[in-house]
Amino acid sequence: MGTANELPLLEQALSDDRLLAGWERVRANAGGPGVDGVTVEQFGGKVLRALAGLRQRVTASHYQALPLRRIEITRPGKAPRVLAVPCVADRVVQSAVALTISPRLDPGFEDFSFGYRPGRSVPRAVQHLAEARDSGLVWVAEADIQSCFDRIPWAALLQRLGEVLPDAGLLALIQHWLSLPLQWPDGHQQVRCMGVPQGSPLSPLLSNVFLDGMDKELAAGPWRVIRYADDFVIAAASREEARRGLAQAARWLRRLGLRLNLDKTRVIHFDQGFSFLGVRFRGRQMSAVQPGAEPWVLPRATQPRPHSPSSKPAQHSRSPAPTARASAPATPPSAQPEPLGPAAPSPNAAASAQPSQPRAADATLQDLQRLSVAPPNEPSPPRLRTLYLTEPGAYLHIDGERLLVGKAGEELANIPAEKVDQVVADAEGAVSFGALRLLLRHDATLLLTPGASDDPAGLLTPINGRQVQLRAAQFARLSDGPFRLALAKRIVQAKISNARTVLRRYRRFRPEGDRGEDQALQRLHAQCAQAPTLEAVRGYEGRAARLHFEALATLIDPRWGFDSRNRQPPQDPVNALLSYGYTVLFHNVHTFILRRGLDPFVGALHAPRDGHAALASDLMEPYRSLIVDATVVRFLTQDDLSPESFDPDHPGRMPLEVKRRFIQALERKLASPVGRDGSQEEPADWRRLIERDVNAWAAAVTGSPDRYQPWLAR
């Protein structure tokens, strides 16, 4: 409830801050124009004047929203999706209203409602269902409301809003928006008498307000409900109770003029298997319907754990990296978060990694149960969730707040933008301006990797967050010789120490290959501590790297043809894997640097030069061997991988399927636990360790140089 001094809700929505926030949301969506033809860019060119005019018209009761633009989106193998899109100005006011009333409405929703709510997610809904199963509720009624959003009755919706929103002017404005006609491309208009328009920024919230009535109807039953938007399941201890819960939901819907889609509604036992929210359940196991979508749909504790060094790399990964591809062979497709996926997708499963708002049409309860292990504590959210675009000819574009990847009319991936922190484009394709703006809106980066023809790499990154004082401190340190020397020594000594650890770990399996490299590296480590200049430190680093790769070659089967490090371009499969792995690691470090507001071109060990992100190179050095080299050695031990998997005419080029599998291995590594170094608080995974180092570097350049201490493996 509001306080006596609180402004009316409509006045709050029309404040400068709230209207600007609404505009930012609309700009981030980068959607198309409404019936007036005004684009987001055109509106932005006069945004301050336009916002002032909107406020004046609404306040003076002269505001008249325009009809909704009908847009039909074709979907291969499915009925077209029809959007009803308000014009940009109307979307701004609606977004401001949504931002204003959501904090009032959300606390009153039932806890088992997970869609379109802050702090809620598909993994939490999945965990909720898994907990129900583990408590003995093993019968599930899975349900889909037929044409739910298009058939929500306005009277019932407005009555519910009136009970919780004490502002008649605001309610009148919402009723005005609900009643807008739909305008077809030829200009003729269709009167609407029900439903919330799919395309309005206010509609997700309004749908939750309406369906909360059903939630409250079901809340007291001897079952457990999990609802995400218009898809819901009822978990019960018996078939009869599940049927009773389903019947009770159907009666509530029928009273309000809606009905269940009988083709997508049934009662089933967990052991029989089903899918819900993009997750397959069978018995006590869960897996993502779309290979690689685990971070978006599964509770983190249920995601497959990395295997021990002695086991084959699995095709599951805990990390959040989808890859986009077009076809779906038996190996994990690359149009979904590829670095994470189950081994045997169905042919249609390759098309969409749809983690945040999956449809019940493609997801039944059996599939969700297969990976359910409820953790005792809330797991840490994944860091730098990465979408890899590896399919040649793929097109990255958007639908509202979702990133879509398509090719030749097929949808390969469908992912909420809020679930993607970086995109790595490995193949020739296309990216829409809307996708670029949406990535920037969510502080995500886009990396174009060098192509086979040595095309230049590129990085798209948001310009916000750059801290002038922090960067000024970095540049001041360029002339601080003792500072740069001290930190460069730490970097190189950590690199040597960690390389020795990796070699010793794998040397246990091939002790006969030891040619004294470990002792030589130990001497270089000690000599580096006494280096008088940066040039001397760089010299020790170069000699240590050569020794490391010579020793690494003795751990790799000779049939791979690896005897030394070469690059630009790599000449053999091992060097191709190493080069790609270092590129992925470099980009992860680079992204964390940009997010922290540091200048990536100003480091300590690597000399500053145009076009080279010296700081990213510095901060990745200690972990090259631990993350990339170790992953490559394990990757080469797979039974179904051999030199014949590479093109004999171009052994230094990774075939597409090999690259996709290697991405999986890298992502599993980056998301795996780091281990212990016996010192400070242990980071949960390698990406968090890198982020910790970046933050420590910022502290170092601003006056606390001892804060930067690279992690040392034991």
Side-chain angles (χ1 to χ4, degrees):
M1 297 296 294
T3 66
N5 295 324
E6 189 176 42
L7 288 173
L9 293 173
L10 185 55
E11 288 189 36
Q12 294 179 43
L14 296 175
S15 68
D16 289 343
D17 289 346
R18 201 58 55 81
L19 281 173
L20 281 171
W23 156 243
E24 289 298 331
R25 279 201 171 185
V26 172
R27 182 172 65 173
N29 274 338
V35 296
D36 60 355
V38 176
T39 66
V40 172
E41 293 80 3
Q42 290 170 337
F43 188 91
K46 53 179 182 179
V47 63
L48 295 180
R49 185 168 66 254
L51 295 182
L54 279 171
R55 181 191 304 106
Q56 182 179 10
R57 290 196 298 277
V58 175
T59 304
S61 301
H62 295 155
Y63 170 76
Q64 174 64 52
L66 295 179
L68 304 170
R69 179 188 173 201
R70 187 183 190 277
I71 299 177
E72 189 172 286
I73 299 177
T74 59
R75 298 181 294 176
K78 297 182 180 180
R81 180 184 178 191
V82 176
L83 299 182
V85 179
C87 69
V88 174
D90 296 333
R91 297 204 300 264
V92 169
V93 185
Q94 291 174 17
S95 296
V97 167
L99 290 168
T100 302
I101 65 176
S102 179
R104 279 182 170 267
L105 298 172
D106 191 82
F109 295 155
E110 293 297 320
D111 285 342
F112 53 77
S113 166
F114 292 91
Y116 312 128
R117 296 183 63 187
R120 303 300 180 103
S121 63
V122 168
R124 289 189 62 182
V126 169
Q127 180 176 324
H128 199 71
L129 181 56
E131 291 170 351
R133 176 208 59 199
D134 294 343
S135 68
L137 306 180
V138 294
W139 285 93
V140 174
E142 51 173 331
D144 176 79
I145 305 173
Q146 186 167 353
S147 303
C148 177
F149 300 118
D150 294 333
R151 300 183 62 84
I152 289 177
W154 295 343
L157 173 60
L158 290 169
Q159 179 181 350
R160 173 61 180 154
L161 284 171
E163 294 169 356
V164 292
L165 297 179
D167 191 317
L170 180 62
L171 291 174
L173 186 60
I174 293 174
Q175 183 173 10
H176 171 59
W177 286 328
L178 287 173
S179 62
L180 293 173
L182 190 65
Q183 181 166 311
W184 292 63
D186 61 5
H188 86 270
Q189 295 182 3
Q190 174 185 340
V191 175
R192 299 170 52 256
C193 58
M194 66 178 67
V196 293
Q198 297 189 56
S200 163
L202 195 57
S203 291
L205 181 59
L206 296 181
S207 66
N208 267 338
V209 170
F210 174 75
L211 291 174
D212 184 63
M214 182 183 72
D215 295 344
K216 287 178 167 48
E217 180 83 6
L218 297 173
W223 44 64
R224 192 172 300 183
V225 182
I226 297 92
R227 182 177 66 81
Y228 196 102
D230 58 337
D231 299 333
F232 68 96
V233 294
I234 302 172
S238 67
R239 184 197 299 265
E240 291 70 26
E241 285 189 353
R243 286 175 172 169
R244 284 202 299 114
L246 192 62
Q248 190 168 332
R251 284 194 298 272
W252 185 90
L253 291 167
R254 196 161 47 246
R255 285 200 304 268
L256 294 166
L258 285 86
R259 61 181 179 179
L260 294 175
N261 186 337
L262 297 182
D263 292 336
K264 301 175 184 178
T265 300
R266 61 176 176 169
V267 175
I268 195 166
H269 195 279
F270 267 106
D271 288 343
Q272 294 174 269
F274 60 89
S275 298
F276 178 63
L277 299 184
V279 177
R280 291 191 185 92
F281 286 84
R282 185 176 294 277
R284 298 190 61 81
Q285 293 185 325
M286 297 190 312
S287 65
V289 171
Q290 303 302 334
E294 286 86 344
W296 291 272
V297 298
L298 295 178
R300 180 156 182 165
T302 70
Q303 296 170 22
R305 298 180 180 277
H307 286 220
S308 64
S310 61
S311 65
K312 293 190 301 180
Q315 289 199 283
H316 293 282
S317 165
R318 299 171 53 205
S319 85
T323 61
R325 61 172 291 171
S327 59
T331 52
S334 174
Q336 353 18 1
E338 173 168 317
L340 331 145
S346 66
N348 293 330
S352 67
Q354 196 167 358
S356 180
Q357 298 176 4
R359 304 293 303 171
D362 303 314
T364 59
L365 268 174
Q366 352 170 303
D367 303 330
L368 184 62
Q369 181 106 37
R370 282 180 37 201
L371 283 170
S372 157
V373 178
N377 299 313
E378 186 74 15
S380 301
R383 302 294 290 146
L384 287 193
R385 298 156 296 185
T386 306
L387 170 66
Y388 291 88
L389 302 177
T390 62
E391 181 67 23
Y395 175 45
L396 178 65
H397 56 293
I398 65 170
D399 178 3
E401 281 287 313
R402 302 180 72 86
L403 291 167
L404 308 181
V405 182
K407 180 179 179 180
E410 181 183 2
E411 184 179 280
L412 306 181
N414 185 327
I415 305 169
E418 65 184 10
K419 301 295 185 182
V420 175
D421 300 309
Q422 57 181 354
V423 176
V424 177
D426 268 337
E428 292 298 321
V431 180
S432 73
F433 283 115
L436 297 179
R437 294 189 189 94
L438 187 57
L439 289 171
L440 294 175
R441 162 70 175 80
H442 287 276
D443 291 329
T445 58
L446 170 67
L447 172 69
L448 300 177
T449 62
S453 58
D454 270 346
D455 294 329
L459 181 68
L460 174 77
T461 180
I463 62 174
N464 57 320
R466 295 181 176 175
Q467 301 182 32
V468 174
Q469 297 301 321
L470 180 58
R471 294 192 173 205
Q474 277 186 274
F475 279 95
R477 291 292 190 180
L478 274 177
S479 58
D480 187 343
F483 172 86
R484 294 184 64 195
L485 179 60
L487 268 65
K489 287 180 180 180
R490 286 180 211 165
I491 291 169
V492 174
Q493 286 186 287
K495 177 177 180 176
I496 295 173
S497 176
N498 289 335
R500 289 182 64 209
T501 299
V502 170
L503 294 173
R504 287 197 301 268
R505 287 175 181 173
Y506 287 98
R507 184 69 72 203
R508 292 176 296 177
F509 306 105
R510 305 188 66 165
E512 72 282 356
D514 187 2
R515 299 177 299 192
E517 293 94 344
D518 184 69
Q519 290 186 357
L521 287 170
Q522 187 176 21
R523 286 194 297 271
L524 288 173
H525 183 279
Q527 292 166 355
C528 181
Q530 306 302 320
T533 65
L534 273 174
E535 285 304 317
V537 173
R538 293 169 185 149
Y540 289 127
E541 188 271 335
R543 287 156 59 188
R546 286 191 294 273
L547 276 172
H548 169 70
F549 286 117
E550 289 173 4
L552 193 67
T554 67
L555 303 176
I556 295 174
D557 193 318
R559 65 197 179 110
W560 286 102
F562 175 72
D563 55 10
S564 62
R565 178 78 175 112
N566 58 68
R567 56 196 180 97
Q568 295 182 343
Q571 301 299 312
D572 57 80
V574 177
N575 273 295
L577 293 168
L578 289 170
S579 292
Y580 188 80
Y582 295 148
T583 298
V584 171
L585 177 58
F586 177 89
H587 184 51
N588 276 266
V589 176
H590 197 172
T591 299
F592 277 124
I593 289 170
L594 293 170
R595 287 177 169 227
R596 182 60 183 83
L598 288 160
D599 191 313
F601 295 92
V602 182
L605 172 64
H606 291 82
R609 69 175 190 270
D610 290 345
H612 176 229
L615 181 56
S617 293
D618 283 2
L619 297 184
M620 71 178 280
E621 291 294 350
Y623 309 124
R624 283 178 179 261
S625 59
L626 291 170
I627 295 176
V628 179
D629 300 1
T631 300
V632 169
V633 171
R634 289 181 58 190
F635 186 71
L636 295 174
T637 65
Q638 298 178 95
D639 291 340
D640 58 348
L641 188 71
S642 69
E644 288 69 38
S645 303
F646 289 73
D647 184 347
D649 295 329
H650 303 284
R653 296 183 186 175
M654 268 194 291
L656 191 55
E657 286 306 316
V658 174
K659 177 181 286 187
R660 289 168 178 160
R661 293 171 59 185
F662 186 54
I663 289 172
Q664 290 181 337
L666 284 171
E667 285 292 330
R668 284 195 296 270
K669 181 65 177 181
L670 287 165
S672 67
V674 170
R676 297 187 176 275
D677 64 357
S679 57
Q680 60 267 55
E681 180 182 351
E682 308 300 337
D685 53 55
W686 290 98
R687 281 192 170 105
R688 281 181 168 77
L689 174 62
I690 294 168
E691 186 176 31
R692 186 184 78 177
D693 279 7
V694 170
N695 291 333
W697 191 273
V701 298
T702 53
S704 302
D706 290 340
R707 287 280 303 278
Y708 176 70
Q709 300 290 342
W711 190 83
L712 302 179
R714 294 289 187 262

